[in-house]
Structure formats: C-alpha cells, structure tokens
Amino acid sequence: MFARLAGLVGLGVLAACASSAASPGPDQPVRSLAEILEQAPASDWRTVDQNNLLYMQLPAGRVIIELAADYTPLHTANIQALARAHYWDGAAIMRSQENYVVQWGRDEADPRPMGDGQATLAAEFDQPRAGFEITRLPDPDSYAREVGFAHGFPVASNGARTWMAHCYGMVGAGRGDTAESGSGAELYVVIGHAPRHLDRNIATVGRVLQGMELLSVMPRGTGPLGFYETPAERTTISSVRLGSELPANERVNLETLRTDSETFRAVIDSRRFRRESWFLDPVGRINLCNVPLPVRVGG
Amino acid sequence: MFARLAGLVGLGVLAACASSAASPGPDQPVRSLAEILEQAPASDWRTVDQNNLLYMQLPAGRVIIELAADYTPLHTANIQALARAHYWDGAAIMRSQENYVVQWGRDEADPRPMGDGQATLAAEFDQPRAGFEITRLPDPDSYAREVGFAHGFPVASNGARTWMAHCYGMVGAGRGDTAESGSGAELYVVIGHAPRHLDRNIATVGRVLQGMELLSVMPRGTGPLGFYETPAERTTISSVRLGSELPANERVNLETLRTDSETFRAVIDSRRFRRESWFLDPVGRINLCNVPLPVRVGG
C-alpha cells in the first residue's frame, strides 16, 4: 500500500527521482533531478575549502557546516578562531524550539578561553548588492524584492543590499539586544518553515551540508523559547573542528553544485516544473527555500 | 550568556513575548502577541467540534488533529468512518523524511477492515473560491495569486478556486498516481519548509493542533523517501479516536482563534511588524506559513 505513495517525492536531491512524465517539447527531453546531477560536468561542482568547514561531533554522529566566507567574513574568521581554540569542546545543544531553531553554545557556568576569538563583533547582516552575482529566481517572494543564490547560499536583496536568507538548514549567530552583540560563539540552525523575519536582523553565517537530520530531531525543550530546563536534557558536543585542522583521513571531501552553473539552472527548472508523472498540476513556481542545494562526496 | 538571546523570539504563540518597542503612533499602543490574545473577546475563539478532532496515541504522548470539514468534506467523512472502525489501532509511523513529511498508516501485511470507510475517494484538491470568505494577506506569495486564512486554515486561491496550503503542521492524505487514489487511510504531516508544490496535487485534510513536537522529531528513515527500512524502526500508533467517541474526561476542549476575527487581524499585524525591541528591522512583511494560528485549551 505504501509503494503507491512513492510519487510523493522529496527534496532529498541525492535520492532517485523517477521521471516518466510527458516531454515538455519535442526537442527537450525530460531529465530527472538525479539525471541532471549525474550529467553535470565536473566544473559545475565546487570543492568546499576545508578551512570553511566545521565538523561538529554529537553522540549520534557528525554534522558538517559550511561557513559563508563571502557574506560574513568577520563572523567566519571569528568562528574559525573559536574552533581553533577548541572553544566548543564540551559545549551543548541548549535549545530546540518547535518549527524554529536548534541552538548550541557553552553554559555560562562552564566558560572556556576564546583563543584569538572575540566575544562581540561588528554587525554583518547584509552586504553591498554590487559585490555579488546572484542567480535569480523568477517567482515572487513574500519578504524581498529579489531572491536567488550566490556562492552556494540562498540570498535576497533589496537592490542596494544583499543578505543570506533564513532557509531551512541555514546557520546563524545568536545575538543580544544590540546589533554588535553576536560573535558566533552561540550558533543556531533553522529547523522549520523559513523564519525570514530574522533576515537582516541577525547574521546568518553558513549552512549545514551534512548531518542536518541529527539536529532537526533534537527533542523540543520545554522551557521558554525551547530552552532545555535542566542540563541533563542537553546533548553534549564533544568537539567542533575546522576541516583544515583534522587529519586528512577524517576529512570529508564535500562538493556543492555551483549556484552560478548551467546545471544548477536546470535543477531550478526541474523543481519549478514538476514533470514527474505523479504531479497533476506541474506547479511552474518555486520559493527560494524550496530549491535544493545539491551536495555530494567527491572522489 | 543565553539569557541575552531571548530576543530571538519564537512562533510559539502561547509563550510570553516581550514588547518594549517604540509605539507605532501616539494613539496606538503596542501590544505583544500574548497581550493581544489575552484581550481577545470570547467570541473571537471557536470551540472545535469534537467530531472533527482525531486523537492519535503514540508512546510519547498524544497528537490532536483538526479535520477540515469545509475544505475536504469527503475526506473528513471518510477519515471519521475509519476512526470509528478503529482502523489505525496498531498502525505505525512508516516514514520520516528530513525537511518534508512524517507519514503513517497500516502495513499492508497487517490489514484491518475499513468499516464504513472507502479505500479510494474522489479528488478534493480545491474548492470554488466563491464559497469561502478569506482573510487575505497583503504580501506576495511565491505560489499563488491570493493567500490568507479561512475556517482556521492557511489557504490560497487563483481567483476561481481555493485550496488549503501545505504549511508546517498541515496534514494531507497520501495518494497513488491517480487523482482518485487517496482516501485518508494514509496520512502525512508537513515537518519542514512548506512544500507548496504539493498544493492542488493532493488533498490537505487538516492540521495538527496539539502534539506537533512529537511528530517532528521522529528519527528520519534511511530508506528511499524517508521510509523506515525495517518494521522495528517504526513507531506504533496504539489508537486513533474521534473526540466525539471519547469519554468526556478524555477530551481536550480545544479552541482556535477565529481567522475572520479582529483579534486575528491584530495577530497578523503584530507578526508582520516586529515591534519587539530586539528587532532592528521591523520587517513589515509576512509569509502565509509564518502566521501563527493560535490554539488554547478552553475552560
């Protein structure tokens, strides 16, 4: 009985996606998402710099996060410094709020030296639009005049400024009441419908490339804002390391599809128009946060 | 250190929301979301019909779902018939796909009589727009010309037809390749960024009013589409009952804020314009699936 529901296809871009739909035109063969990715030239994939990868070890496995060095260079440098200082060793998941964020950091009762890291940083909520090439989406967005992708991340713009969008799986740096009160020492990841009202109010610093399914299932905290009420409820982080500091045999050679590539444009098209036979209405539109950002393990 | 992050406020509408922001105008006091709800007249709340409530018992607790009798009357009647037949007793969570859906039903190796329920139903993917009053949102939507709320649910419209939108927490009826192949016997709930490409391709039949945090943390399945690969990985559903069939002392008197009320319009305004002091950019826009739909336990 469940086999017949296979048509309710997912966003997991590395899963096989059947494509038996009618052709969109005589000269344009329909390719499944899997076929589009298989046929991508090697140059359409980007090897992620190990210096921009955070490997976070949890009891259930490893999470790998890419830092957005182009959009948030100050936060990226600070987070790299904190990782080199082993700042998060023995830190914990402090908060899991339903349909919102999972957040981690150190208990204030258990501080640790920050090494070359800073406790506060200048705000990095947006950048000049002129400095970025954006692969634009054609469909309207509830929050911004322009949305698309740059340097592998979902982004938005108002024409003058551009910023990374709070899509599912994006990582941000918690802050207090003032713009300069964040540092990256406390990080959160989006685990629900994109809270885009946070855009430009807080620094998004990267996204989870691997292990998101370990963070999203953290039991929800029962305190205000989803904080755990007792230390026993927290999940301990044994270590956070930069890929560049790991032994070569512990690194994962992650590659992301270049968001300025022809292959990525084909990915967008295949997700805007759902040509799989299951879809009775092929849609023809897409939201920024519904576009998959393909990741693979390179050779 | 975490206290200063309290400004990263959540969508949990019953949590306290501080509001110390500047007034929007001399005669218009700023009210927090909690204050707006506290000050709502009793007539702005709607007592949910116990005949439209599904109580689903899981090992970790109870989930309560409201069926959308107005948008999907055929599916609602069929699901009610299946519940009366105790069709889902001993059923299981069969699938948990990251950033997509959690789905439940019976293993085909363990069938059970459907009572007065049907195995397939006519498609109910949309309804005539003329039959519904919609509290409209002013901001653009990536997928539909018009979005808003009707009968307590997030909805969309193209002018001629209207349908319930696949927002976080919405429940749908799985189907096979043909439009008429669903029945409600297999249900799914959205646990990630709204998969609005499913709108008008499948029947959304209701939403989770209580216990969503039990479904969203189901360990992700490692099979294709997030299906569990072995029966041992599934979570068993001990029973699903209509509220109207439960003893009075086992019912929960759930009330939802009327989406055609003045109070709900104030809720929308308070979430479009984020006047809490933490917000440096008050936003002024909102997406359909970011508007909270308040629920409370009545007296």
Side-chain angles (χ1 to χ4, degrees):
Chain A
M1 181 178 273
F2 281 95
R4 66 184 174 80
L5 295 182
L8 214 169
V9 294
L11 294 170
V13 296
L14 298 181
C17 295
S19 175
S20 56
S23 171
D27 300 323
Q28 190 184 351
V30 171
R31 293 189 296 165
S32 71
L33 182 53
E35 287 166 341
I36 289 168
L37 295 176
E38 281 162 16
Q39 293 166 12
S43 58
D44 282 359
W45 293 91
R46 172 182 62 110
T47 299
V48 183
D49 184 344
Q50 291 289 330
N51 200 43
N52 292 334
L53 288 180
L54 286 181
Y55 291 64
M56 177 164 70
Q57 194 64 44
L58 299 174
R62 186 176 55 191
V63 176
I64 307 180
I65 294 165
E66 181 184 6
L67 299 172
D70 299 292
Y71 265 84
T72 45
L74 295 176
H75 280 75
T76 294
N78 206 52
I79 291 166
Q80 289 165 334
L82 292 170
R84 281 192 296 266
H86 299 183
Y87 174 76
W88 291 286
D89 290 17
I93 309 288
M94 309 296 279
R95 173 188 186 191
S96 174
Q97 185 173 356
E98 176 59 14
N99 190 17
Y100 201 44
V101 299
V102 160
Q103 185 172 314
W104 60 94
R106 293 201 73 83
D107 191 317
E108 55 188 353
D110 178 30
R112 196 177 171 105
M114 286 191 157
D116 294 330
Q118 307 296 315
T120 60
L121 279 185
E124 269 186 316
F125 302 163
D126 55 22
Q127 295 286 347
R129 171 70 178 83
F132 293 85
E133 292 284 339
I134 296 176
T135 300
R136 293 184 65 164
L137 280 183
D139 305 306
D141 180 76
S142 300
Y143 291 92
R145 203 166 98 186
E146 178 185 45
V147 291
F149 302 89
H151 299 279
F153 295 93
V155 302
S157 149
N158 62 3
R161 309 287 295 178
T162 177
W163 56 91
M164 293 196 294
H166 275 83
C167 291
Y168 192 99
M170 289 293 285
V171 174
R175 70 161 173 86
D177 277 343
T178 64
E180 302 78 16
S181 55
S183 70
E186 297 168 33
L187 295 169
Y188 63 88
V189 61
V190 173
I191 60 155
H193 188 74
R196 298 278 308 282
H197 54 284
L198 297 177
D199 290 2
R200 302 191 85 195
N201 277 296
I202 195 164
T204 35
V205 300
R207 77 176 178 105
V208 174
L209 298 189
Q210 204 175 79
M212 186 62 202
E213 71 283 3
L214 303 177
L215 294 170
S216 60
V217 300
M218 288 287 160
R220 306 316 184 212
T222 50
L225 305 175
F227 279 94
Y228 295 116
E229 297 188 83
T230 62
E233 295 170 87
R234 300 173 183 163
T235 298
T236 299
I237 298 166
S238 54
S239 68
V240 175
R241 292 287 179 278
L242 294 175
S244 51
E245 295 219 309
L246 286 175
N249 65 354
E250 291 181 23
R251 293 179 202 157
V252 182
N253 181 24
L254 290 179
E255 299 179 345
T256 63
L257 189 66
R258 290 182 190 278
T259 49
D260 58 354
S261 67
E262 279 309 306
T263 299
F264 186 65
R265 289 177 203 277
V267 167
I268 292 174
D269 177 74
S270 83
R271 298 300 90 182
R272 284 187 80 232
F273 293 94
R274 300 302 293 250
R275 301 182 183 95
E276 303 96 320
S277 61
W278 185 86
F279 280 86
L280 303 166
D281 176 343
V283 190
R285 291 158 171 259
I286 200 161
N287 178 263
L288 175 67
C289 298
N290 285 123
V291 176
L293 293 167
V295 180
R296 70 179 185 185
V297 178
Chain B
M1 180 176 274
F2 281 95
R4 65 183 177 82
L5 295 181
L8 214 170
V9 296
L11 293 171
V13 296
L14 297 182
C17 294
S19 175
S20 57
S23 171
D27 300 323
Q28 189 182 350
V30 171
R31 293 188 297 166
S32 71
L33 182 52
E35 288 166 341
I36 289 168
L37 295 177
E38 282 163 15
Q39 294 165 12
S43 57
D44 281 359
W45 292 92
R46 172 182 61 110
T47 299
V48 184
D49 184 345
Q50 291 289 330
N51 200 41
N52 291 334
L53 287 179
L54 286 181
Y55 290 64
M56 177 163 70
Q57 194 65 45
L58 299 174
R62 186 176 55 190
V63 176
I64 307 182
I65 295 164
E66 181 184 5
L67 298 172
D70 299 292
Y71 264 84
T72 45
L74 295 176
H75 281 74
T76 294
N78 206 51
I79 291 167
Q80 289 165 333
L82 292 170
R84 281 192 296 265
H86 299 185
Y87 175 76
W88 290 288
D89 290 17
I93 309 288
M94 309 296 280
R95 173 189 186 191
S96 173
Q97 184 172 358
E98 175 59 15
N99 190 17
Y100 201 45
V101 298
V102 160
Q103 185 173 313
W104 60 94
R106 294 201 73 82
D107 190 317
E108 55 190 352
D110 178 31
R112 195 175 171 109
M114 288 190 154
D116 294 330
Q118 307 296 313
T120 60
L121 279 184
E124 268 185 317
F125 302 162
D126 56 21
Q127 294 286 347
R129 171 69 179 84
F132 293 84
E133 291 286 338
I134 296 177
T135 300
R136 293 184 67 165
L137 280 184
D139 304 306
D141 180 76
S142 299
Y143 290 93
R145 204 166 98 187
E146 177 186 44
V147 291
F149 302 88
H151 298 280
F153 296 94
V155 303
S157 149
N158 62 4
R161 309 286 296 179
T162 177
W163 55 91
M164 292 196 294
H166 275 84
C167 292
Y168 192 99
M170 290 292 286
V171 174
R175 71 163 173 86
D177 277 344
T178 63
E180 301 78 16
S181 54
S183 70
E186 298 169 33
L187 295 169
Y188 62 89
V189 61
V190 173
I191 60 156
H193 188 73
R196 299 278 307 282
H197 54 283
L198 297 177
D199 289 3
R200 304 191 84 195
N201 277 296
I202 195 164
T204 36
V205 301
R207 77 177 179 103
V208 174
L209 299 189
Q210 201 177 81
M212 186 62 202
E213 72 282 4
L214 304 177
L215 294 170
S216 59
V217 299
M218 288 287 160
R220 306 315 184 212
T222 51
L225 306 175
F227 279 94
Y228 294 116
E229 298 189 81
T230 61
E233 295 169 86
R234 300 173 184 162
T235 298
T236 299
I237 298 166
S238 54
S239 68
V240 175
R241 293 287 180 279
L242 294 175
S244 51
E245 295 218 310
L246 286 176
N249 64 353
E250 292 181 24
R251 293 179 202 156
V252 182
N253 181 25
L254 291 179
E255 299 181 342
T256 63
L257 190 66
R258 290 182 189 277
T259 50
D260 57 355
S261 68
E262 278 310 306
T263 299
F264 185 65
R265 289 177 203 276
V267 167
I268 293 174
D269 177 74
S270 83
R271 299 300 91 184
R272 285 187 77 232
F273 292 94
R274 299 303 293 249
R275 301 183 182 96
E276 303 96 322
S277 61
W278 185 86
F279 281 87
L280 303 166
D281 175 344
V283 192
R285 293 158 171 259
I286 202 160
N287 177 263
L288 174 67
C289 298
N290 285 123
V291 176
L293 293 167
V295 179
R296 72 178 185 186
V297 178

